[in-house]
Amino acid sequence: MLDRKIEDLKILFTQEQIEQKTKELADKINKDCGPDSELVLICVLKGSTMFCCDLAKYLKMPVEMEFIRVSSYGNAKTSSGNVQAIDLTLPNLEDKNVLIVEDIIDTGCTMEFLINILCRTHKPKNLKVVTFLNKKIARKVNIEPDYYGFDIDDKFVVGYGLDYEGYMRNLPYIGYFE
Ligand code: IMP
Ligand code: MG
């Protein structure tokens, strides 16, 4: 049984704040990319499903959506730094504008791993990173996103795609346990 209760969560970002920030991020990306050049979104499963789908709705250029799956956490609350590729199946991305969409960058190990693989094996024209949450203070490698929604403290957060032992991804807000 799950040792944490949803009722004990402290809300960090409400559904309204999340929606507002997602629109702001989409506006920036729309401005930077322009309305004509195609963009490939790479949604990193499972955490970034909600953010990626919400973001995609506000993008105005022709968008392709691809999904890859990696795992670094297992069920623990601290990042293992040991990134496991579960499914990295992607179409040919050569000469495409690619945007990796993440829920959160914590140590940065997952993003470093993804950037290395994408650059080496796919040679995109342009590779950028957007993450909804940025836990800058927890960084172990030198990786910075091109866009991020909120910078947060070193707290374990759940909701809006982020899980605690596989649960709570479905919450429409982001919270933490004290
Ligand atoms: P990193 O490799 O340490 O940057 O961790 C990246 C992945 O760990 C994220 O994509 C999340 O799936 C997961 N993660 C990191 N911090 C949290 C958190 O506070 N709550 C839930 N998942 C997290
Ligand atoms: Mg993730």
Side-chain angles (χ1 to χ4, degrees), residues 14-83:
T14 64
Q15 193 169 356
E16 290 71 29
Q17 286 173 303
I18 291 171
E19 199 179 311
Q20 170 69 25
K21 188 56 81 175
T22 305
K23 281 183 192 160
E24 277 172 32
L25 285 170
D27 285 346
K28 280 191 201 157
I29 297 165
N30 283 329
K31 246 184 224 137
D32 290 354
C33 295
D36 302 322
S37 55
E38 296 101 27
L39 183 64
V40 184
L41 297 185
I42 299 191
C43 173
V44 186
L45 298 174
K46 301 176 187 173
S48 72
T49 31
M50 295 221 185
F51 173 51
C52 189
C53 293
D54 285 346
L55 183 77
K57 292 176 203 164
Y58 302 118
L59 294 176
K60 301 210 165 99
M61 70 291 284
V63 162
E64 265 180 78
M65 293 173 77
E66 294 296 336
F67 299 83
I68 58 175
R69 189 162 164 206
V70 292
S71 169
S72 74
Y73 258 50
N75 276 340
K77 276 201 280 167
T78 48
S79 185
S80 61
N82 186 354
V83 186

Side-chain angles (χ1 to χ4, degrees), residues 83-100:
V83 186
Q84 199 191 342
I86 297 173
D87 182 6
L88 295 180
T89 313
L90 284 167
N92 184 10
L93 299 174
E94 214 169 307
D95 295 324
K96 301 227 177 179
N97 295 315
V98 174
L99 181 65
I100 303 177

Side-chain angles (χ1 to χ4, degrees), residues 44-48 70-73 76-83 102-112 133 135 138-139 152 155-159 161-164 169:
V44 186
L45 298 174
K46 301 176 187 173
S48 72
V70 292
S71 169
S72 74
Y73 258 50
K77 276 201 280 167
T78 48
S79 185
S80 61
N82 186 354
V83 186
E102 256 292 28
D103 48 355
I104 187 165
I105 301 183
D106 183 21
T107 61
C109 294
T110 305
M111 195 46 73
E112 183 181 55
L133 300 178
K135 237 191 250 180
R139 208 69 97 246
I152 63 163
K155 283 193 174 84
F156 187 80
V157 291
V158 299
L162 294 145
D163 73 302
Y164 175 65
R169 294 188 197 276

